[in-house]
Amino acid sequence: MDKVYIKGLSIQTTIGFFQWEKEIKQTLVIDLAMGWNTANAALNDELAKTLDYADISVAIERFANDNPVDLIETLAERLAGYLMTQYQIPWLKLFIGKPGAVHNAQTVGVEIERGKQSIEKSS
């Protein structure tokens, strides 16, 4: 299976359980791998036949800011569903890290995998 990646996407959003967290923006760092047949786009060098990672990056930040939640687990689940539906992604692996959330830890976070990992290549 081919994959399209976005690694280290840093976004600012409101997230957290505590009241003070609901009043500020915090940094989240996102890694996303998306299953996709890249051969179709490569055949004639067509952006329209691949996943536009620039567009998806903007959509991720917009989604996080339009849908504030308390838990990164909730954000991960909802974001995965949104991306799979919006971009017809059959499989993805999503990591969301919250740097600085735990003293002495570089980051904490969740990683989820959704969908089916086998994509048939067409000839």
Side-chain angles (χ1 to χ4, degrees):
M1 172 187 12
D2 304 331
K3 296 177 186 171
V4 175
Y5 286 93
I6 299 170
K7 290 187 177 184
L9 178 66
S10 182
I11 67 168
Q12 296 290 313
T13 192
T14 303
I15 191 160
F17 176 79
F18 300 106
Q19 185 58 40
W20 65 267
E21 290 181 295
K22 298 178 187 307
E23 298 169 6
I24 64 169
K25 297 258 185 191
Q26 296 185 69
T27 300
L28 296 179
V29 178
I30 296 171
D31 291 340
L32 176 63
M34 301 164 283
W36 196 257
N37 182 353
T38 62
N40 292 331
L43 184 63
N44 292 310
D45 205 23
E46 296 178 73
L47 177 63
K49 291 186 178 177
T50 193
L51 293 172
D52 183 342
Y53 45 78
D55 182 63
I56 292 171
S57 296
V58 170
I60 289 170
E61 185 160 18
R62 186 178 338 109
F63 183 88
N65 281 292
D66 289 349
N67 300 281
V69 295
D70 291 349
L71 304 174
I72 56 176
E73 292 87 347
T74 306
L75 178 59
E77 192 65 40
R78 292 180 184 176
L79 180 58
Y82 167 76
L83 292 172
M84 292 178 80
T85 300
Q86 184 70 23
Y87 297 95
Q88 293 80 50
I89 299 167
W91 170 89
L92 62 75
K93 183 185 282 189
L94 173 64
F95 169 82
I96 302 178
K98 190 174 179 185
V102 173
H103 181 66
N104 291 336
Q106 182 179 6
T107 194
V108 297
V110 298
E111 181 176 80
I112 65 171
E113 187 174 334
R114 298 292 180 265
K116 295 188 180 182
Q117 204 174 85
S118 62
I119 297 175
E120 295 296 321
K121 288 192 178 185
S122 59
S123 39

